[in-house]
């Protein structure tokens, strides 16, 4: 398996994990917020972690040095419903600031009139380009006014491939996770999918099935249950699997929140994760590293997708329209080991 081209830049998430604090604490320490009642010992732990890991701030939140800096517009349908939108925006801002370019973000809720009004304003302002993003990986119908801007689509794509776009390689992520489980010795691999209408859920399932077929293992419908991308769905689907005709060696959850519910159900039934049964997640949300045992999962490369969007818009040349699928690497921890 080829290694993904993902930067090894230290992030605030890494600092928080190393220091044993929240990302908010790291942010306040970095920005010198003395009035936040953060203890001296906690501040020292954060600063020690920054020094040990070699963290270099990307300039987020700093005032511009000049009032006439260039600007990229970022238009996204939702931000608050998922941590991934903020990670992508940070990736865009991080890359843009290397070129002294500011980032202006709007959340539209999918309101087409609001989108068009914003795009007309940005045309008058002379923005460098526009990142048009979606919280869900999907085919989107961009507003007509977008064609007047240099544009890249983030976590979505248009039907005619008129604009350059970048999405996660979800099938390959599902396949890579299942290949790891197979290489560990698992054969009865169960899968809990998300809601069937979601493209990401469907593609992760396809990747799981493809890896089984490539290994000469038939796909068994009794080992596949539908969830809802929430802990409740993971718990209920896990209980159905445990009560089903085949006891799984491992349960592959199509996102980490369902894995949380899966852990809950397994512990209710007296299972010991990593000893009597294994679990795999998908997303690499922050909670994954705090579960016991720490959850082996698949990284969604939203920061790197944001970096790519800014690079594409700020390229001095006029590159061809490109449809990019960015690899989703497996993050190996402890939950996937063979019982």
């Amino acid at each position: 398996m080829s290694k993904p081209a993902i930067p090894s830049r230290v992030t605030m998430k890494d600092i928080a994990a190393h220091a044993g604090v929240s990302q908010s604490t790291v942010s306040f320490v970095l920005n010198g917020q003395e009035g936040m009642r953060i203890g001296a010992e906690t501040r020292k732990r954060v600063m020690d972690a920054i020094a040990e890991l070699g963290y270099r701030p990307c300039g987020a939140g700093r005032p511009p040095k000049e009032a006439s800096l260039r600007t990229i517009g970022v238009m996204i349908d939702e931000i608050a419903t998922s941590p991934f939108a903020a990670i992508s925006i940070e990736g865009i801002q991080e890359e843009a600031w290397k070129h002294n370019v500011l980032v202006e973000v709007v959340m539209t809720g999918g309101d087409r009139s609001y989108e068009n009004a914003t795009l007309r304003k940005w045309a008058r302002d002379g923005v460098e380009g526009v990142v048009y993003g979606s919280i869900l990986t999907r085919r989107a119908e961009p507003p007509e006014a977008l064609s007047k801007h240099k544009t890249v689509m983030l976590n979505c794509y248009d039907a005619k491939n008129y604009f350059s776009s970048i999405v996660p390689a979800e099938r390959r992520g599902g396949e890579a996770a299942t290949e790891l489980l197979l290489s560990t010795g698992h054969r009865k691999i169960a899968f809990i999918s998300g809601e069937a209408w979601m493209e990401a859920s469907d593609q992760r399932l396809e990747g799981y099935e493809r890896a089984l077929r490539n290994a000469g293992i038939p796909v068994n419908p009794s080992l596949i249950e539908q969830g809802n991308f929430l802990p409740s769905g993971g718990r209920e689907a896990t209980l159905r699997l445990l009560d089903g005709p085949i006891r799984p060696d491992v349960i592959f959850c199509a996102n980490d929140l369902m894995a949380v519910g899966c852990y809950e159900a397994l512990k209710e039934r007296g299972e010991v994760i990593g000893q009597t049964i294994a679990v795999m997640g998908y997303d690499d949300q922050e909670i994954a590293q705090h579960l016991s045992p720490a959850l082996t999962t698949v990284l969604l490369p939203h920061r790197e997708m944001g970096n790519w969007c800014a690079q594409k818009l700020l390229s001095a040349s006029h590159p061809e329209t490109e449809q990019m699928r960015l690899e989703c690497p497996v993050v190996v921890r402890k939950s996937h080991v063979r019982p």
Side-chain angles (χ1 to χ4, degrees):
M1 187 192 313
S2 62
K3 292 184 179 180
I6 292 191
S8 57
R9 189 187 70 82
V10 177
T11 67
M12 280 200 292
K13 179 179 177 181
D14 300 320
I15 298 299
H18 194 78
V21 299
S22 70
Q23 289 187 61
S24 296
T25 298
V26 174
S27 178
F28 285 127
V29 171
L30 282 170
N31 287 299
Q33 299 288 338
E34 298 292 339
M36 296 304 296
R37 293 211 219 167
I38 300 172
E41 191 274 334
T42 299
R43 289 181 185 274
K44 183 177 185 304
R45 288 211 319 272
V46 172
M47 297 307 296
D48 287 347
I50 289 168
E52 288 173 28
L53 298 182
Y55 175 77
R56 297 179 63 187
C58 66
R62 296 179 180 177
K65 298 175 183 177
E66 301 174 11
S68 59
L69 292 177
R70 298 143 63 201
T71 304
I72 285 176
V74 177
M75 177 174 289
I76 194 162
D77 48 8
E78 295 289 345
I79 293 177
T81 57
S82 164
F84 300 125
I87 295 170
S88 292
I89 291 167
E90 185 177 334
I92 296 167
Q93 181 168 298
E94 171 187 83
E95 188 63 31
W97 190 240
K98 293 177 183 177
H99 304 273
N100 288 329
V101 175
L102 298 178
V103 173
E104 184 174 326
V105 182
V106 297
M107 187 188 77
T108 68
D111 185 320
R112 186 50 50 90
S113 61
Y114 190 88
E115 289 179 343
N116 282 316
T118 302
L119 290 167
R120 288 193 295 270
K121 174 190 178 296
W122 282 345
R124 292 193 299 269
D125 293 347
V127 297
E128 293 287 311
V130 174
V131 178
Y132 185 84
S134 171
I135 196 62
L136 293 177
T137 306
R138 62 186 177 92
R139 187 177 73 182
E141 296 183 9
E144 186 176 326
L146 201 62
S147 62
K148 297 180 181 179
H149 293 272
K150 185 177 181 181
T151 299
V152 292
M153 298 183 70
L154 171 65
N155 205 37
C156 57
Y157 56 93
D158 63 298
K160 296 180 179 179
N161 292 330
Y162 181 80
F163 299 108
S164 290
S165 63
I166 188 165
V167 297
E170 299 280 20
R171 289 186 189 86
R172 182 62 194 134
E175 185 177 19
T178 308
E179 287 172 347
L180 173 65
L181 296 175
L182 290 166
S183 71
T184 307
H186 298 294
R187 290 299 176 266
K188 291 178 285 185
I189 303 173
F191 187 86
I192 301 177
S193 69
E195 294 173 276
W197 63 269
M198 292 187 183
E199 188 171 303
S201 175
D202 189 46
Q203 291 183 359
R204 293 171 194 181
L205 175 59
E206 288 179 20
Y208 155 83
E209 293 176 339
R210 183 164 62 188
L212 291 180
R213 293 191 182 101
N214 289 342
I217 299 175
V219 175
N220 191 325
S222 67
L223 286 173
I224 300 174
E225 289 287 345
Q226 183 172 328
N228 59 0
F229 276 161
L230 296 172
S232 59
R235 178 182 177 276
E236 292 164 8
T238 298
L239 293 174
R240 292 196 297 270
L241 286 167
L242 294 177
D243 292 335
I246 301 175
R247 175 186 166 81
D249 299 329
V250 56
I251 300 175
F252 180 5
C253 301
N255 82 335
D256 291 345
L257 289 181
M258 289 196 299
V260 171
C262 177
Y263 269 50
E264 180 183 337
L266 292 174
K267 290 177 180 179
E268 285 175 14
R269 292 292 181 90
E271 303 285 352
V272 181
I273 298 160
Q275 294 185 30
T276 64
I277 196 166
V279 179
M280 169 71 75
Y282 202 113
D283 283 347
D284 196 29
Q285 293 204 36
E286 185 173 5
I287 194 172
Q289 61 188 303
H290 301 298
L291 293 174
S292 181
L295 179 65
T296 298
T297 185
V298 179
L299 172 71
L300 282 176
H302 285 282
R303 179 183 302 279
E304 291 72 29
M305 289 164 60
N307 290 159
W308 183 90
C309 287
Q311 291 166 5
K312 193 80 172 175
L313 288 180
L314 297 174
S315 172
S317 61
H318 297 280
E320 299 274 334
T321 300
E322 182 179 7
Q323 277 65 53
M324 172 69 76
R325 289 187 179 273
L326 196 58
E327 189 169 348
C328 304
V330 180
V331 180
V332 178
R333 295 193 177 100
K334 296 182 178 179
S335 68
H336 74 287
V337 297
R338 187 180 182 186

